[in-house]
Amino acid sequence: MNDSMEHKDVISTNPFAVTLLKWFEEYGRSLPWRETTDPYAIWLSEIILQQTRVQQGWEYWERFMHRFPHVEDLAAATQDEVLRLWQGLGYYSRARHLHEAAKQVVALGHFPCTMSELKAMKGVGDYTAAAIGSIAFGLPVAVVDGNVYRVLSRYFGISTPINTTEGQKEFVDLAQSLLPTSAPSAYNQAIMDFGAIQCTPTSPRCLICPLADSCEALRSGKTAELPVKLRKLKIKKRHFSYIYLRCQGMTAFHKRSAGDIWQGLWEPLLIENADLPVFSAPLSLIKKGVKHVLTHRVLTADFYLVELNQRPSLPEDYIWIPEDELDQYALPRLIEILLASLPA
């Protein structure tokens, strides 16, 4: 770890931090973006790892670093190039924000190195700014993510819901009060790893936990109940009918616009909340009721194929693409699944 020995400078009256830093020295994850203080590499890892497992994110981080080794390379790319490389990670707004933020950095002339500059970057909130700031620049700012909420709520026995204004302020203040200013990078990485490896959401490793003797949740038997999160999410259901138009080796796709899911990604002819159109050839149902779950929506999709000799009239935003070039376009995961079922 880059600053794994910094815990020696931590004031001895903070045993929580000392314990975490000692644990991190022995059990912290070895990750490539931890072998550098390059803020670009660290920022890229943080954006990719939002809502993505480390193992999957690792592969994408390496792809992006290989394709765009410097922030200038990323800024100079087209949005389509960035989305294509991001394909499969989901939450595509992250990729669009990543691209826009790279342009911001280039325009600024240097990588942002203060909290206010970092938070001005597109797609960078309090947590990401704290992670980049502490790891790349040694800023004494505590991170607060899902792992941190879990560790702190269990250890201190805090039942304030983490998705309320009151709860967020309480945990941010507590996290900041525990941060050893001499070791912000190591401590922030330590508590995140501790939540990911030791104090896991289910089946935490309490029997071999170095904090077990002073953990309030373990003492009171409330480990499974903490942290508390209020249910607020309303799930919207939508039904899509996709029609794959095949005409002499070509197919019609369009790019989804802003204001809805999958902005900037490509899809075949979509019919939603309307009757299916009539073509000069019959529609063949390839897949019916394919379920696809997003954070705020549950989608079901029917997939049709129609093979034509002449191109039909379509809305202006549809373009005709050679079928063998579809892999050059960034597609939502649902469309990838549907296309896999197409007959040759």
Side-chain angles (χ1 to χ4, degrees):
M1 308 303 168
N2 292 336
D3 47 2
S4 60
M5 297 304 294
E6 288 182 358
H7 72 79
K8 292 180 178 179
D9 300 324
V10 177
I11 299 174
S12 60
T13 54
N14 187 350
F16 178 81
V18 171
T19 300
L20 284 183
L21 286 164
K22 288 181 177 177
W23 176 91
F24 185 57
E25 275 191 11
E26 188 169 356
Y27 300 108
R29 293 174 291 189
S30 178
L31 302 169
W33 48 86
R34 288 183 174 171
E35 306 303 320
T36 179
T37 55
D38 176 11
Y40 169 65
I42 294 166
W43 162 65
L44 181 61
S45 74
E46 290 297 336
I47 299 301
I48 288 175
L49 292 178
Q50 292 171 359
Q51 301 159 314
T52 299
R53 291 177 294 104
V54 168
Q55 196 56 46
Q56 183 188 21
W58 188 331
E59 297 174 9
Y60 279 84
W61 181 84
E62 289 183 333
R63 290 182 204 171
F64 267 85
M65 289 299 296
H66 177 74
R67 178 81 171 271
F68 309 118
H70 306 288
V71 69
E72 293 82 5
D73 303 315
L74 178 57
T78 66
Q79 186 183 90
D80 280 345
E81 287 179 295
V82 176
L83 289 173
R84 182 69 185 86
L85 201 59
W86 189 274
Q87 188 169 315
L89 268 182
Y91 301 98
Y92 286 88
S93 61
R94 291 182 295 166
R96 293 191 296 272
H97 292 164
L98 183 79
H99 190 215
E100 292 174 33
K103 294 178 180 179
Q104 287 180 290
V105 173
V106 172
L108 185 64
H110 66 87
F111 204 95
C113 56
T114 66
M115 285 298 289
S116 59
E117 284 183 336
L118 288 165
K119 286 195 282 189
M121 295 172 67
K122 193 73 172 178
V124 173
D126 292 341
Y127 161 76
T128 306
I132 300 167
S134 62
I135 298 170
F137 303 110
L139 301 182
V141 184
V143 296
V144 181
D145 71 345
N147 288 316
V148 176
Y149 278 127
R150 185 165 57 257
V151 173
L152 295 184
S153 66
R154 286 175 175 172
Y155 183 76
F156 292 99
I158 302 171
S159 57
T160 312
I162 62 175
N163 57 338
T164 62
T165 301
E166 177 190 1
Q168 289 167 0
K169 184 180 186 308
E170 181 176 356
F171 280 98
V172 166
D173 291 346
L174 175 59
Q176 190 62 38
S177 72
L178 295 167
L179 179 79
T181 56
S182 59
S185 173
Y187 175 80
N188 278 339
Q189 293 178 82
I191 194 168
M192 289 189 288
D193 272 16
F194 192 81
I197 298 170
Q198 186 77 40
C199 193
T200 51
T202 57
S203 304
R205 305 168 70 190
C206 298
L207 293 178
I208 55 171
C209 177
L211 294 171
D213 291 345
S214 48
C215 177
E216 180 59 27
L218 186 59
R219 184 198 67 77
S220 60
K222 294 183 177 180
T223 304
E225 300 172 24
L226 297 173
V228 174
K229 187 173 184 179
L230 299 180
R231 289 184 173 271
K232 292 183 176 181
L233 194 63
K234 291 184 179 180
I235 303 297
K236 182 178 180 180
K237 295 182 179 180
R238 297 173 68 177
H239 184 268
F240 292 168
S241 291
Y242 281 112
I243 302 175
Y244 187 90
L245 301 170
R246 176 176 281 163
C247 183
Q248 299 176 349
M250 307 286 283
T251 185
F253 271 62
H254 81 134
K255 181 186 288 189
R256 290 186 64 91
S257 58
D260 200 354
I261 58 173
W262 302 330
Q263 178 184 333
L265 302 186
W266 294 79
E267 66 183 357
L269 180 62
L270 169 63
I271 307 298
E272 184 179 11
N273 302 322
D275 294 333
L276 296 180
V278 176
F279 296 97
S280 59
L283 289 173
S284 299
L285 179 62
I286 306 299
K287 283 277 189 179
K288 184 174 180 61
V290 178
K291 186 177 179 181
H292 192 69
V293 180
L294 304 176
T295 304
H296 298 86
R297 296 172 181 82
V298 174
L299 312 178
T300 55
D302 297 336
F303 188 44
Y304 297 86
L305 168 66
V306 58
E307 303 198 55
L308 303 160
N309 293 321
Q310 291 185 332
R311 296 181 184 180
S313 177
L314 296 173
E316 290 182 358
D317 61 333
Y318 281 83
I319 65 171
W320 288 89
I321 301 167
E323 289 188 275
D324 59 5
E325 292 181 11
L326 270 177
D327 61 356
Q328 298 177 23
Y329 293 79
L331 309 174
R333 179 59 184 150
L334 173 59
I335 301 304
E336 289 187 291
I337 293 169
L338 296 177
L339 293 182
S341 64
L342 272 176

